Amino acid sequence: MTDTGNFNYHLSRLVGSFVAKTDEGYELTYAGRMVVGAILAGTYDAEATVAPIPLDWDCLQCGGAFTLGYEDGYARLQCQTCDSGAVIPIPPGALDSVPVDELPTAVMQWYRARVQRIRSGFCSVCTGRTERRLTDGVDPEADDPTPSTVRFECRRCDTVTTLSGATLVTYHPIVEGFFREHGMATDRRHPTQLWNSIESRVQTVCDEPLTVEVTFGTDSESVSARIEADGRVTNVERRH
Ligand SMILES: [Zn+2]
Ligand SMILES: [Zn+2]
């Protein structure tokens, strides 16, 4: 830098949170490396769009065929018949240099890591702590039943993330073990594909306080869990 005054001014603004002074000079703190990492994750040279590719996954709603595409920071799983599906936020840097045939696995590995972070109570955007709440149960009598909803709100950046109760329970370690023992890896397939392969049931077991029960499997072998009004997953039980 020729203008050392200007440089020193900007450096002094960064010292503390993002840059630390050491005996040898200055170095990035962990938070500083996170900032650099966020910039790298959001930018890379390759074309950050993937046209929808066919998957051998069936739609949970209608049995139609799913495709996976990527555009503007979102992976889209979409049924070609009924249009239902899922949208997964994922920075382009995470998919950089992933061959197209490995894209579905990479997206699902990212998704699992994302859900685990949310499950653990960390904001997926700013790493702040979240407050969670079960906001919707399920009405099995409804013509068009909607999934139960657990809402995670970041106390710091106000980002709100929602997961269905079934998704939240799917990534509980005991439930992941159940799926794995039945030949289904939770970091390879979308949760709807796991539920497709085994019976699944979500029901509201109490309205006040709102409590939902999620069960995967058959009468002879199953795993079930409850989601309390405060969004905690409890009573995780396997039955043989
Ligand atoms: Zn469909
Ligand atoms: Zn946040």
Side-chain angles (χ1 to χ4, degrees), residues 58-64 66 84 191-193 195-197 200:
D58 299 332
C59 172
L60 190 63
Q61 312 294 335
C62 78
F66 262 132
S84 72
T192 57
Q193 301 309 299
W195 310 335
N196 242 347
S197 322
S200 64

Side-chain angles (χ1 to χ4, degrees), residues 29-147:
T29 62
Y30 179 63
R33 295 212 307 275
M34 296 265 287
V35 172
V36 175
I39 294 166
L40 292 174
T43 49
Y44 80 112
D45 293 340
E47 177 75 13
T49 299
V50 178
I53 51 173
L55 303 171
D56 60 344
W57 298 2
D58 299 332
C59 172
L60 190 63
Q61 312 294 335
C62 78
F66 262 132
T67 58
L68 171 70
Y70 182 77
E71 199 171 7
D72 298 332
Y74 293 93
R76 277 169 212 283
L77 286 163
Q78 197 160 42
C79 172
Q80 294 307 290
T81 307
C82 77
D83 229 29
S84 72
V87 177
I88 299 168
I90 169 167
L95 300 177
D96 185 13
S97 72
V98 174
V100 168
D101 61 340
E102 289 171 23
L103 201 62
T105 301
V107 168
M108 291 330 302
Q109 285 174 331
W110 169 271
Y111 180 70
R112 178 179 178 276
R114 174 182 156 80
V115 173
Q116 291 296 13
R117 180 161 155 176
I118 295 165
R119 255 177 44 80
S120 305
F122 297 103
C123 172
S124 60
V125 175
C126 81
T127 72
R129 298 302 286 177
T130 56
E131 263 157 35
R132 72 180 70 185
R133 203 156 50 85
L134 175 64
T135 55
D136 299 296
V138 282
D139 177 7
E141 309 291 307
D143 288 341
D144 194 8
T146 50

